[in-house]
Amino acid sequence: MVQLSRSLLLWRPLPYMLALICTVSILGIHMLPNMDSMLNENNTRISHVFLRSQINYHKEIAPFARRPLTTLLIETTQSILKVKAGYAFIFVNFLLLGLSGVLIYRLSLILKATKKQGLINMMVFFTSFSILFAFFPPVFTYDEPLQYCFLLTAFMAFVRRRWFWYVILFTLALIARETSILLLPAFILLLPGTQNHPRKKLWPNLKKNSLLILSPIFFYGCYIVFFIYHQRLLHATHTEIASRYSCFLENIESLKNIVESVVSIFITVGPFLYFTYFYLKRKNNDAWQNSFVYAFLLTLIINTPLVFMTAFARESRLFALPLLFIWPMFMQLFGSDMKPLFVKKTYQELFRNKKIVFLFGALTLVSFLFCFVYYPSLGLGANTYFSEYLFVVIFVLSFHYCTYKFLGHRK
C-alpha cells in the first residue's frame, strides 16, 4: 500500500488529474438540484439568460467595464465555439479555476515544497470557501480566476527574479482586477529572498529593484487613463467612487447584515488566521517562511478594512486576496501544527480527559446551534451548503484547539 502511494505521487499527470477532478466536483456542486448558484438558479439546467445578463452587466457598469479581460475571453470563446453565453462562461471560468489550482501546485514546488505538500496545498485551495462556492450568491465570482492566474504566474516570476515577465503578468493582473495592487507592499517584504535565493538585506534590495516591483502601477495607470477617457467613463467613475461609502452602511445596516459580514470574513480567512496564530507561537521558524506569514498578515490588514468600507462584505471572495501568500505555503507553514489531527493515539488519549471532552462538546453544541438554528433563522445560507461548511470548519478548529490544550497540559 505504501509502495502504491509512493508510485502514485511520482505519477506526473496526478496534479492535473486532481485539479480536473476538483474543478468538475465544484461544477457539480453548483449544478445540484435546488441549489441557488449563478449557474442554474435553483434549477437543473444552465441559466443562459442570467449568465448573459452578468456578462452584459460587466460590460456596461463603470467599475466592471474597466476590467474587460474575463468578458473578452468569454465572448471570444462564445464566438469561436459557437455556443451559448452560459456554456462560454462556465468553460472559461472553470478552466481558469482549474489552472489556478495547478499554478498553486507549481508555485509550491518552486518554493521547495515536496510533491505531497504541493498536492495538499492545491487541495486546500480548492476546498477554501471562496473557491468551493465561487459562483454561489452572494460570493458572485467573475474576474477572480483570471486574476489568480496572472498573480500566481507573476509570483513565480518574482520568486525566480524574472523581472520582465513579472512586470507583464502583474500589469495584466491589475487590469483583470485593480485590487491586485494591494499585494505590492507584501511583495516588498518578500524581497530579501526565499529559500530559492540567498537572503539579502531589505534596503539595498529595495533600492535596486523598487522600480521594477512598482512599474506595473505605472503601466496600469496609463491603461486606466486611456480606457476611462476612450470609453467616456469619467463621470461614471466619479459617481462610483462617491457611492462606495453606501456599501459600508449596508454592511452594518442591521443585525442580519452584521452577522453575514462577520461570518463572511471568518469563513474566508478565519481558519488560516487561526493556524497563523499557532505558527507564530513556535520558535526557531525559518526567516524566509516568516516572510510569507507577515506578507499574509500585512495584506490582510490592508485588504480587510478596505473591503468592509468600500464593498459588500457578504461577497466573501473579496477577503480571499491575502490567501495567495498562504495557499502555496500551507503545508510548509502549518503542517507540523496539523499532525496531531492525523495521529490515532491523540484521539484515544484526548477523550480520556473529561475536561477536554466537555470543552469540545460545548464548542460543538454552540457551533451547531449557531450554524443550523440561528444563522438560517436570519434568512442566510438558503439553498446552499454554507451552514454545513461553517459547521465543519468550526468543528475542525475546535478539535484542534482542544488537542492543543490537551497536548500543552500533557507537556
Side-chain angles (χ1 to χ4, degrees), residues 100-160:
S100 298
V102 172
L103 291 173
I104 291 288
Y105 171 78
R106 298 300 304 173
L107 181 55
S108 296
L109 297 188
I110 291 172
L111 295 171
K112 304 302 181 182
T114 64
K115 289 187 176 181
K116 183 179 179 180
Q117 288 176 329
L119 291 171
I120 295 174
N121 291 345
M122 183 174 69
M123 296 302 294
V124 170
F125 167 78
F126 280 121
T127 54
S128 298
F129 179 81
S130 61
I131 303 299
L132 188 63
F133 301 112
F135 302 99
F136 278 89
V139 184
F140 287 128
T141 296
Y142 191 86
D143 296 301
E144 282 75 15
L146 182 61
Q147 180 192 25
Y148 291 166
C149 287
F150 283 136
L151 283 175
L152 289 167
T153 48
F155 204 163
M156 292 178 184
F158 174 86
V159 171
R160 290 170 165 170

Side-chain angles (χ1 to χ4, degrees), residues 133-273:
F133 301 112
F135 302 99
F136 278 89
V139 184
F140 287 128
T141 296
Y142 191 86
D143 296 301
E144 282 75 15
L146 182 61
Q147 180 192 25
Y148 291 166
C149 287
F150 283 136
L151 283 175
L152 289 167
T153 48
F155 204 163
M156 292 178 184
F158 174 86
V159 171
R160 290 170 165 170
R161 300 300 191 256
R162 295 178 180 175
W163 295 114
F164 174 77
W165 287 110
Y166 161 79
V167 171
I168 290 176
L169 292 165
F170 205 100
T171 302
L172 289 171
L174 286 168
I175 296 172
R177 275 190 72 84
E178 63 277 5
T179 54
S180 302
I181 198 173
L182 301 178
L183 297 181
L184 287 177
F187 270 54
I188 293 173
L189 278 181
L190 296 173
L191 249 188
T194 63
Q195 195 176 14
N196 307 63
H197 296 275
R199 292 186 62 79
K200 299 177 183 178
K201 291 183 178 179
L202 174 60
W203 182 242
N205 223 322
L206 184 58
K207 287 195 294 184
K208 180 181 178 182
N209 297 310
S210 58
L211 286 178
L212 287 168
I213 291 176
L214 299 177
S215 58
I217 299 176
F218 170 76
F219 292 114
Y220 176 71
C222 293
Y223 157 78
I224 201 65
V225 169
F226 170 79
F227 188 86
I228 287 175
Y229 278 93
H230 182 265
Q231 299 292 324
R232 300 179 181 178
L233 293 174
L234 186 60
H235 176 72
T237 302
H238 286 161
T239 304
E240 173 225 338
I241 294 172
S243 65
R244 283 289 179 177
Y245 184 64
S246 63
C247 297
F248 169 70
L249 296 178
E250 183 163 335
N251 291 335
I252 60 172
E253 183 180 33
S254 63
L255 179 61
K256 172 186 174 181
N257 288 17
I258 293 172
V259 171
E260 188 174 31
S261 299
V262 172
V263 169
S264 179
I265 297 171
F266 170 78
I267 205 170
T268 306
V269 298
F272 302 93
L273 199 57

Side-chain angles (χ1 to χ4, degrees), residues 60 87 334 398:
E60 297 164 1
Y87 293 131
F334 309 136
S398 299

Side-chain angles (χ1 to χ4, degrees), residues 345-383:
K345 190 176 180 181
T346 301
Y347 290 80
Q348 293 173 337
E349 295 187 4
L350 180 67
F351 287 103
R352 292 174 186 167
N353 188 313
K354 292 182 179 179
K355 290 183 180 179
I356 297 297
V357 171
F358 177 79
L359 175 62
F360 178 63
L363 290 173
T364 302
L365 177 60
V366 171
S367 171
F368 181 87
L369 292 175
F370 178 83
C371 295
F372 297 110
V373 179
Y374 179 70
Y375 187 72
S377 73
L378 296 176
L380 300 171
N383 297 328

